[in-house]
Structure formats: structure tokens, C-alpha cells
Amino acid sequence: MTERIGILLSGGESRRFGSPKAFAEIDGEKFYERAYQALDAVCDRVVIVSHPELQPRFPMELDVITDLPAVAGQGPLAGILTAMTQRPGSCYIVLPCDMPFVTSAETARLVEQMDKTQNITAIRTPDARVPLFSIWKTGLQKALKKELEAGGRRVMVFMEKAGTAWLDSAVINGDSSVFRNINRPDE
């Protein structure tokens, strides 16, 4: 199996944003469309993990799934586990819909810079780590399931346990603002 799967996380509650971020727009494009394009450029297949109430809002031709019942609503780790379980692949590129400035150029550079010695490759800007723009190797499903069963929902905690290489964001794009996530409509 050599299939690279893109996981577009679009299931958050968007409480601070006030409406579903996936359908917010920048320059006439929805956030999810921008993220989808960034993943589609480097992946063999892209799966959108969303909330059941939002699923009908996506075009029917897209592969949209919801969390596995056992982990439903438990955040990004649940979405990643769901995609890994339902869409087997050799590796997974994760991108949340609320990072609409990441393009295919950044996803291609992340793939080029992947650390093959670690289970996860992610980036860090001068100000913070960016855990959800990352590459996850297959084989993490059991550890993810165990983490969620134990009540663990923090992505960074899991990433440290799993073994993560943190790349300097400058090797992906010199403008670290590209990697910010949008939490409010005025950002």
C-alpha cells in the first residue's frame, strides 16, 4: 500500500468563530476548498472528516466521513483515527480547514521535508508549534485508539508520545503567518 491520504479536518464546533469555519470564505473560496486543493495536489486521495450536521453541506462527489461512533466528538485525534481506520494508506497528511493560507506549495514542501525516522512530522514557527499541519505514518491507529480510550484528547501530548519531528517553518515557507489558524471572523 503506497497511497498517501489527505485528512482535511472540518468537524470543529467553531464556537469562537460563530459559524462553521469550513464554509467561511476568503477571496470567494471556502476555507475547506482551499485546504482541499492544498491536500489534493500531493495526495492520492483526500477525505474530509466533518460533523454529521455539516456533512450534507459538502458536494456529494467529495469523500466526507464523520467520526467513528466510539470516538465521536473527541476532537482532532478522533478525526485522524477515523480517517486512518476508514481510509487505509501508507501515510496521512493532516490539514485543518481553519488554516486557509496553506497552499499546495507548502504541502509539497512538507512532503519533501518529511522525517522518515519519526512517526509524525510537523512544523514549528518562531512563535508556536503547528501540530495539525503534519504528516502521520500509518500504524498509529492502535496508539491513537488507546489514547482516546484513556481520555486523552490533546494533540500535542499524543504527538510527543508517538515521536514527532518538528521542522522549522522557514523550510516550508519563510512567512510564518501562512501557518496561522483562523479562530474569529475578523482575523
Side-chain angles (χ1 to χ4, degrees):
M1 170 182 1
T2 58
E3 197 169 36
R4 186 183 302 146
I5 309 293
I7 301 175
L8 198 170
L9 298 173
S10 277
E13 295 182 16
S14 304
R15 283 182 229 131
R16 291 176 284 181
F17 199 78
S19 63
K21 290 185 213 178
F23 302 99
E25 292 189 10
I26 292 179
D27 298 329
E29 288 182 294
K30 292 176 177 60
F31 281 19
Y32 88 83
E33 292 172 331
R34 293 170 74 105
Y36 191 96
Q37 291 166 14
L39 290 169
D40 192 45
V42 297
C43 295
D44 299 302
R45 179 179 194 172
V46 177
V47 60
I48 299 171
V49 185
S50 192
H51 192 275
E53 292 175 10
L54 299 179
Q55 195 173 14
R57 293 183 63 182
F58 291 96
M60 297 225 10
E61 67 270 10
L62 298 180
D63 185 8
V64 183
I65 61 175
T66 60
D67 285 344
L68 296 167
V71 297
Q74 294 186 40
L77 290 179
I80 293 167
L81 173 62
T82 296
M84 287 179 154
T85 302
Q86 294 188 6
R87 303 299 184 264
S90 57
C91 73
Y92 299 85
I93 302 177
V94 177
L95 182 62
C97 69
D98 64 359
M99 291 180 65
F101 302 107
V102 172
T103 69
S104 59
E106 286 79 32
T107 55
R109 286 190 205 107
L110 182 64
V111 169
E112 290 168 7
Q113 297 295 320
M114 178 183 175
D115 185 329
K116 293 178 175 55
T117 68
Q118 296 294 321
N119 285 319
I120 303 169
T121 301
I123 63 165
R124 60 178 164 70
T125 68
D127 301 318
R129 291 180 178 184
V130 183
L132 292 178
F133 176 46
S134 49
I135 301 176
W136 298 52
K137 288 184 180 175
T138 195
L140 289 170
Q141 293 91 323
K142 285 183 183 177
L144 272 167
K145 184 177 180 190
K146 185 177 177 182
E147 185 78 9
L148 289 163
E149 286 172 348
R153 294 174 68 176
R154 297 188 60 206
V155 176
M156 297 283 275
V157 170
F158 179 79
M159 290 175 85
E160 290 308 314
K161 290 178 187 177
T164 300
W166 293 98
L167 302 176
D168 184 331
S169 63
V171 302
I172 308 296
N173 187 319
D175 179 3
S176 64
S177 71
V178 165
F179 306 108
R180 71 186 185 280
N181 65 353
I182 306 297
N183 290 313
R184 290 178 174 71
D186 56 351
E187 292 184 326

XYZ file of all heavy atoms in Angstrom, residues 80 92-94 99 106 109-111 113-116 118-125 128-137 155-156 159-160 163-172 179:
376
model
N -8.517 12.092 13.081
C -7.358 11.437 12.463
C -7.513 9.916 12.561
O -7.309 9.199 11.582
C -6.051 11.931 13.111
C -5.842 13.422 12.781
C -4.862 11.097 12.644
C -4.765 14.113 13.597
N -0.376 9.849 6.026
C -1.517 10.757 6.058
C -1.015 12.186 6.226
O -0.240 12.467 7.137
C -2.443 10.397 7.223
C -2.996 9.006 7.094
C -2.268 7.908 7.549
C -4.218 8.777 6.480
C -2.757 6.616 7.405
C -4.714 7.482 6.331
C -3.968 6.414 6.790
O -4.449 5.136 6.635
N -1.480 13.073 5.366
C -1.160 14.493 5.527
C -2.393 15.152 6.111
O -3.482 15.086 5.536
C -0.768 15.146 4.189
C 0.435 14.411 3.609
C -0.451 16.625 4.400
C 0.869 14.897 2.271
N -2.215 15.759 7.270
C -3.317 16.357 8.012
C -3.291 17.871 7.824
O -2.230 18.500 7.910
C -3.207 16.008 9.515
C -4.312 16.678 10.313
C -3.236 14.495 9.712
N -6.897 26.648 8.464
C -5.591 27.155 8.032
C -5.650 27.441 6.527
O -4.964 26.812 5.725
C -4.485 26.151 8.369
C -4.223 26.016 9.852
S -2.905 24.830 10.243
C -1.472 25.628 9.510
N 3.113 24.654 0.106
C 3.514 24.262 1.457
C 3.336 22.763 1.678
O 4.186 22.122 2.306
C 2.729 25.052 2.514
C 3.163 26.501 2.653
C 2.595 27.412 1.559
O 1.462 27.149 1.087
O 3.288 28.374 1.166
N 6.235 20.997 0.004
C 7.492 21.133 0.763
C 7.474 20.280 2.022
O 8.497 19.714 2.409
C 7.765 22.598 1.078
C 8.232 23.359 -0.139
C 8.739 24.756 0.207
N 8.596 25.586 -0.966
C 7.681 26.537 -1.123
N 6.835 26.828 -0.170
N 7.615 27.227 -2.240
N 6.315 20.187 2.672
C 6.226 19.335 3.856
C 6.513 17.882 3.485
O 7.259 17.198 4.188
C 4.839 19.461 4.508
C 4.631 18.640 5.786
C 5.551 19.109 6.908
C 3.173 18.726 6.233
N 5.958 17.426 2.379
C 6.218 16.055 1.922
C 7.706 15.869 1.640
O 8.301 14.865 2.043
C 5.355 15.711 0.686
C 5.803 14.400 0.041
C 3.885 15.653 1.072
N 10.185 17.389 2.966
C 10.974 17.500 4.202
C 10.609 16.455 5.262
O 11.158 16.465 6.358
C 10.790 18.899 4.807
C 11.287 20.025 3.928
C 12.793 19.963 3.724
O 13.543 19.660 4.635
N 13.229 20.236 2.501
N 9.697 15.549 4.938
C 9.240 14.555 5.914
C 10.417 13.826 6.551
O 11.326 13.375 5.872
C 8.319 13.548 5.225
C 7.822 12.454 6.127
S 6.813 11.289 5.175
C 6.508 10.059 6.409
N 10.381 13.719 7.870
C 11.401 12.987 8.618
C 10.967 11.528 8.689
O 10.048 11.185 9.422
C 11.545 13.584 10.018
C 12.671 12.959 10.809
O 12.967 11.759 10.606
O 13.253 13.657 11.656
N 11.629 10.679 7.947
C 11.241 9.274 7.873
C 11.608 8.485 9.127
O 11.214 7.339 9.285
C 11.825 8.641 6.623
C 11.204 9.213 5.350
C 11.823 8.614 4.112
C 11.171 9.044 2.835
N 11.052 10.407 2.563
N 10.756 9.464 12.193
C 9.750 9.717 13.226
C 8.362 9.310 12.719
O 8.130 9.247 11.514
C 9.733 11.210 13.605
C 11.008 11.697 14.243
C 11.267 11.074 15.594
O 10.355 10.882 16.389
N 12.518 10.749 15.862
N 7.448 9.083 13.636
C 6.078 8.716 13.267
C 5.280 9.891 12.716
O 4.363 9.704 11.933
C 5.337 8.124 14.465
C 5.779 6.718 14.761
O 5.981 5.921 13.852
N 5.958 6.398 16.023
N 5.620 11.088 13.180
C 4.895 12.288 12.764
C 5.914 13.365 12.411
O 6.928 13.520 13.098
C 3.960 12.802 13.886
C 2.978 11.703 14.306
C 3.211 14.062 13.446
C 2.194 12.009 15.576
N 5.629 14.113 11.363
C 6.424 15.283 11.003
C 5.488 16.476 11.024
O 4.435 16.449 10.377
C 7.048 15.145 9.602
O 7.877 13.980 9.563
C 7.866 16.370 9.241
N 5.849 17.506 11.784
C 5.032 18.718 11.881
C 5.971 19.914 11.849
O 7.186 19.761 11.808
C 4.202 18.694 13.164
N 5.385 21.104 11.879
C 6.225 22.303 11.818
C 6.074 23.145 13.073
O 5.107 23.044 13.807
C 5.921 23.154 10.571
C 4.488 23.671 10.610
C 6.167 22.368 9.298
C 4.231 24.790 9.642
N 7.091 23.977 13.262
C 7.054 24.963 14.341
C 7.466 26.307 13.746
O 8.409 26.394 12.960
C 7.962 24.572 15.493
C 9.398 24.424 15.114
C 10.297 24.081 16.292
N 11.579 23.576 15.848
C 12.527 24.281 15.251
N 12.328 25.544 14.993
N 13.653 23.728 14.873
N 6.707 27.313 14.090
C 7.040 28.681 13.688
C 7.897 29.264 14.801
O 8.076 28.641 15.849
C 5.763 29.524 13.509
O 5.159 29.716 14.788
C 4.786 28.871 12.534
N 5.268 29.275 17.786
C 4.485 28.142 18.287
C 4.677 26.905 17.415
O 5.106 26.991 16.262
C 3.001 28.506 18.297
N 4.294 25.780 17.981
C 4.229 24.542 17.209
C 2.887 24.501 16.497
O 1.893 25.009 17.003
C 4.379 23.342 18.129
C 5.779 23.231 18.695
C 5.913 22.043 19.603
N 7.285 21.944 20.077
C 7.729 20.966 20.829
N 6.918 19.993 21.208
N 8.979 20.947 21.214
N 2.890 23.900 15.315
C 1.680 23.808 14.496
C 1.393 22.313 14.296
O 1.795 21.722 13.292
C 1.865 24.527 13.144
C 0.583 24.496 12.336
C 2.349 25.963 13.356
N 0.705 21.689 15.250
C 0.565 20.230 15.213
C -0.331 19.677 14.115
O -0.136 18.542 13.678
C -0.010 19.909 16.589
C -0.739 21.148 16.997
C 0.070 22.285 16.418
N -1.295 20.448 13.652
C -2.266 19.867 12.722
C -1.966 20.110 11.251
O -2.746 19.707 10.392
C -3.681 20.314 13.085
C -4.182 19.745 14.405
C -5.574 20.268 14.729
C -4.158 18.219 14.410
N -0.853 20.728 10.937
C -0.343 20.691 9.568
C 0.834 19.738 9.652
O 1.937 20.120 10.052
C 0.071 22.080 9.073
C 0.696 22.074 7.697
C 0.125 21.369 6.656
C 1.852 22.786 7.446
C 0.702 21.354 5.391
C 2.434 22.789 6.187
C 1.860 22.069 5.158
N 0.572 18.473 9.337
C 1.547 17.442 9.670
C 1.370 16.203 8.809
O 0.367 16.045 8.127
C 1.412 17.071 11.153
O 0.058 16.824 11.493
N 2.372 15.328 8.878
C 2.328 14.038 8.200
C 2.411 12.958 9.273
O 3.286 12.995 10.128
C 3.492 13.863 7.201
C 3.460 14.960 6.131
C 3.429 12.481 6.550
C 4.624 14.908 5.168
N 1.499 12.004 9.194
C 1.429 10.905 10.152
C 1.659 9.600 9.409
O 0.999 9.334 8.399
C 0.068 10.866 10.830
C -0.251 12.087 11.639
C -0.193 13.396 11.225
C -0.687 12.132 12.993
N -0.569 14.239 12.248
C -0.883 13.482 13.347
C -0.947 11.144 13.949
C -1.304 13.872 14.600
C -1.378 11.539 15.203
C -1.545 12.891 15.522
N 2.552 8.776 9.920
C 2.766 7.464 9.324
C 1.624 6.538 9.694
O 1.003 6.677 10.753
C 4.078 6.858 9.819
C 5.316 7.506 9.256
C 6.548 6.770 9.745
C 7.822 7.385 9.208
N 9.004 6.724 9.795
N -3.687 16.901 21.264
C -2.884 16.511 20.107
C -1.397 16.554 20.433
O -0.652 15.616 20.135
C -3.211 17.400 18.886
C -2.319 17.063 17.712
C -4.676 17.269 18.503
N -0.946 17.636 21.055
C 0.486 17.792 21.336
C 0.991 16.704 22.277
O 2.101 16.194 22.102
C 0.753 19.164 21.941
C 0.426 20.308 21.012
S 1.667 20.558 19.767
C 2.770 21.586 20.674
N 1.372 13.583 20.239
C 2.477 13.704 19.298
C 3.822 13.464 19.988
O 4.715 12.845 19.415
C 2.446 15.063 18.604
C 1.284 15.195 17.640
S 1.132 16.837 16.923
C 2.265 16.702 15.548
N 3.956 13.944 21.197
C 5.205 13.725 21.935
C 5.380 12.245 22.257
O 6.478 11.709 22.150
C 5.240 14.581 23.199
C 5.382 16.077 22.917
C 6.547 16.429 21.996
O 7.673 15.908 22.183
O 6.346 17.234 21.066
N 6.319 10.265 18.938
C 7.582 10.592 18.282
C 7.355 11.515 17.110
O 6.858 11.088 16.070
N 7.671 12.786 17.316
C 7.402 13.809 16.308
C 8.663 14.597 15.983
O 9.380 15.024 16.877
C 6.307 14.776 16.806
O 5.119 14.037 17.048
C 6.021 15.859 15.784
N 8.921 14.785 14.713
C 9.977 15.674 14.239
C 9.343 17.032 13.991
O 8.349 17.128 13.274
C 10.587 15.138 12.946
N 9.899 18.073 14.610
C 9.386 19.436 14.441
C 10.295 20.192 13.489
O 11.432 20.500 13.821
C 9.308 20.147 15.793
C 8.275 19.537 16.686
C 8.477 18.630 17.684
C 6.863 19.762 16.633
N 7.279 18.293 18.257
C 6.273 18.958 17.634
C 6.044 20.560 15.830
C 4.897 18.943 17.858
C 4.681 20.533 16.056
C 4.115 19.743 17.070
N 9.792 20.459 12.295
C 10.557 21.198 11.291
C 10.402 22.693 11.491
O 9.311 23.175 11.815
C 10.045 20.865 9.888
C 10.062 19.417 9.435
C 9.425 19.304 8.048
C 11.477 18.886 9.410
N 11.453 23.431 11.242
C 11.380 24.889 11.253
C 10.493 25.317 10.086
O 10.721 24.914 8.941
C 12.786 25.459 11.100
C 12.838 26.969 11.199
O 11.840 27.647 10.846
O 13.877 27.490 11.611
N 9.494 26.120 10.363
C 8.541 26.527 9.321
C 9.216 27.241 8.158
O 8.702 27.228 7.038
C 7.441 27.409 9.909
O 7.978 28.617 10.419
N 10.370 27.839 8.389
C 11.068 28.570 7.324
C 11.470 27.655 6.166
O 11.604 28.121 5.035
C 12.291 29.290 7.890
N 11.646 26.357 6.419
C 11.986 25.448 5.319
C 10.771 25.151 4.448
O 10.911 24.668 3.330
C 12.632 24.120 5.802
C 13.877 24.372 6.609
C 11.649 23.249 6.534
N 9.588 25.477 4.968
C 8.349 25.268 4.217
C 7.906 26.574 3.559
O 7.550 26.616 2.396
C 7.222 24.734 5.134
C 7.681 23.501 5.918
C 5.948 24.463 4.348
C 8.013 22.291 5.092
N 0.903 29.878 8.381
C 0.549 28.719 9.198
C -0.407 29.029 10.343
O -0.661 28.179 11.176
C 1.821 28.064 9.729
C 2.780 27.720 8.629
C 3.954 28.435 8.462
C 2.485 26.714 7.721
C 4.840 28.136 7.435
C 3.358 26.412 6.688
C 4.530 27.120 6.543
